[in-house]
Amino acid sequence: MERWRGAAAEGPMGEEREGVVVYWRPGCPYCMKLRLQLRCTGLRYTEVNIWKDPEAAAYVRSVAGGNETVPTVSVAGTALVNPSLRRLLRTVRSEAPHLL
């Protein structure tokens, strides 16, 4: 399932350079935690299920040392592998403050 919050990503591999894209997969407790925390922030973002999008899975592997480590988040083109909410928000403040 993909849920769009705010502007849609321009491509399946994190090609949207202005927004936040959260790559996740069902059953991942770390993904569930981060996604729940993000919902409480009001930050606009896009969620992409890597099990339903092979190109998104390939993007995650490309930034996570060949692994499908999720959650992986792209913030204005900067990849974060399994970030804490604090790290993600710090990156948004520095790379895409207009999203806050």
Side-chain angles (χ1 to χ4, degrees):
M1 172 178 121
E2 287 188 28
R3 286 218 330 233
W4 303 96
R5 297 186 182 273
E10 293 175 3
M13 294 180 59
E15 294 161 353
E16 167 59 61
R17 297 296 180 207
E18 298 300 317
V20 176
V21 182
V22 178
Y23 298 93
W24 68 285
R25 67 167 172 77
C28 169
Y30 305 105
C31 297
M32 287 186 261
K33 178 181 177 184
L34 183 64
R35 291 167 64 214
L36 179 61
Q37 290 173 328
L38 274 173
R39 287 182 188 134
C40 296
T41 67
L43 179 69
R44 294 174 12 166
Y45 62 95
T46 303
E47 295 181 343
V48 180
N49 178 345
I50 66 167
W51 283 358
K52 291 191 175 189
D53 188 331
E55 290 183 38
Y59 169 75
V60 169
R61 287 190 303 272
S62 77
V63 298
N67 300 307
E68 289 185 358
T69 304
V70 288
T72 290
V73 182
S74 174
V75 176
T78 300
L80 306 170
V81 178
N82 195 18
S84 66
L85 180 63
R86 180 176 295 182
R87 180 175 171 220
L88 191 156
L89 293 176
R90 186 174 60 237
T91 303
V92 171
R93 277 192 293 277
S94 67
E95 302 295 325
H98 62 281
L99 297 175
L100 294 172

